[in-house]
């Protein structure tokens, strides 16, 4: 399927497919968007028709292949760059104004409207339905990507923007300079305060060319925002796992 097919999708159809990529179904997508399930199902049906597929998840993966992993947050990390560091961009695409904010490379939602993308209701880990070849390989991959995500988050917790920026991948850096990342983090991350606890709650594989992505989700208590959800998306690059998207919800 050509990129022209995904370009035929409307912004609202793309928005809904991105939620599917992040682990939502039609019902939870409807809650997140303050829409009826009928409306969401209509968007998904139209998207499948335009892309010539029968699965909404397959349609979402086709969109990801064209857009890149940063759109898992709902909008390109580069969108904020075009407005300059510190600018606010409305990404609601029909949702209530003010629900979401993208500043530089950091995406933040209010606690009342947060989308809990991959976290389970209780304890345990969730996986994509199509795992690697064996359970042992899957677990090893989970541990490796969680470790890389935690190293990145440790630098963020220390307010070391230079070190955390160095842990990002080329897709992130192509859309965000160190200054944009630093300015965004000063404005958004510092007010959250120190971390009192952080628990990995979900792992997911997103199969998209060339190498696919790994998504690790944490349930985190910040001093200024308890029970938050952090989502770190990573890509294998240069023999190491690099961060390409960081979301706080």
């Amino acid at each position: 399927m050509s990129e022209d097919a995904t370009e035929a999708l409307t912004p609202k159809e793309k928005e809904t497919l991105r939620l599917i990529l992040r682990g939502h179904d039609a019902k939870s997508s409807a809650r997140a968007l303050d829409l009826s399930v009928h409306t969401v199902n209509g968007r998904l049906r139209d998207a499948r028709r335009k892309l010539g597929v029968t699965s909404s998840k397959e349609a979402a993966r086709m969109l990801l292949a064209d857009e890149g992993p940063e759109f898992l947050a709902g909008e390109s990390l580069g969108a904020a760059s075009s407005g300059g560091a510190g600018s606010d961009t409305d990404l609601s695409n029909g949702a209530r104004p003010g629900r979401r904010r993208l500043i530089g490379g950091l995406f933040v939602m209010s606690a009342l409207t947060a989308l809990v993308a991959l976290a389970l209701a209780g304890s345990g880990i969730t996986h994509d339905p199509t795992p690697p070849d064996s359970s042992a390989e899957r677990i090893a991959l989970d541990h490796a990507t969680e470790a890389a995500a935690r190293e990145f988050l440790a630098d963020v917790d220390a307010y070391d923007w230079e070190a955390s920026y160095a842990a990002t991948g080329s897709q992130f850096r192509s859309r965000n300079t160190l200054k944009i990342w630093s300015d965004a983090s000063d404005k958004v991350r510092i007010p959250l305060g120190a971390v009192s606890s952080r628990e990995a709650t979900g792992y997911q594989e997103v199969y998209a060319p060339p190498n696919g992505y790994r998504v690790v989700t944490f349930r985190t208590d910040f001093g200024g925002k308890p029970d938050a959800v952090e989502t770190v998306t990573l890509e294998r690059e240069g023999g190491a796992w690099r961060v390409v998207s960081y979301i706080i919800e």
Side-chain angles (χ1 to χ4, degrees), residues 111 220-228:
T220 305
D221 286 330
F222 296 98
K225 183 178 175 64
D227 203 29

Side-chain angles (χ1 to χ4, degrees), residues 109-189:
M109 296 182 186
S110 72
L112 293 178
T113 59
L115 308 179
V116 182
L118 303 175
L120 295 175
S123 61
I125 299 300
T126 181
H127 290 278
D128 187 88
T130 308
D133 293 339
S134 72
S135 177
E137 290 181 7
R138 182 188 66 199
I139 292 171
L141 191 56
D142 290 343
H143 288 170
T145 49
E146 180 185 337
R150 285 187 179 277
E151 288 180 10
F152 167 79
L153 293 173
D155 290 331
V156 173
D157 293 342
Y159 308 146
D160 190 340
W161 313 139
E162 185 172 355
S164 57
Y165 185 79
T168 62
S170 58
Q171 291 196 56
F172 185 97
R173 295 193 301 272
S174 69
R175 292 169 172 83
N176 299 275
T177 64
L178 174 58
K179 185 179 188 312
I180 289 173
W181 169 245
S182 299
D183 289 347
S185 299
D186 282 342
K187 183 174 182 180
V188 178
R189 174 59 185 87

Side-chain angles (χ1 to χ4, degrees), residues 22-124:
R22 298 186 60 215
H24 287 268
D25 57 16
K27 186 175 181 180
S28 63
S29 295
R31 289 197 300 268
L33 297 171
D34 289 334
L35 298 172
S36 69
V37 175
H38 175 76
T39 298
V40 169
N41 280 328
R43 290 185 184 183
L44 295 173
R45 181 178 61 251
D46 290 343
R48 293 194 301 268
R49 175 180 54 79
K50 291 176 182 179
L51 297 178
V53 297
T54 58
S55 164
S56 295
K57 192 169 185 179
E58 179 62 23
R61 286 174 174 166
M62 290 173 63
L63 180 64
L64 176 68
D66 287 340
E67 292 185 329
E70 65 272 18
F71 279 89
L72 289 175
E75 191 65 33
S76 169
L77 291 171
S81 302
S82 63
S87 63
D88 289 355
T89 303
D90 180 9
L91 306 178
S92 59
N93 288 329
R96 287 196 299 253
R99 289 183 60 195
R100 302 187 284 181
R101 220 164 29 124
L102 175 66
I103 307 173
L106 202 60
F107 183 87
V108 180
M109 296 182 186
S110 72
L112 293 178
T113 59
L115 308 179
V116 182
L118 303 175
L120 295 175
S123 61

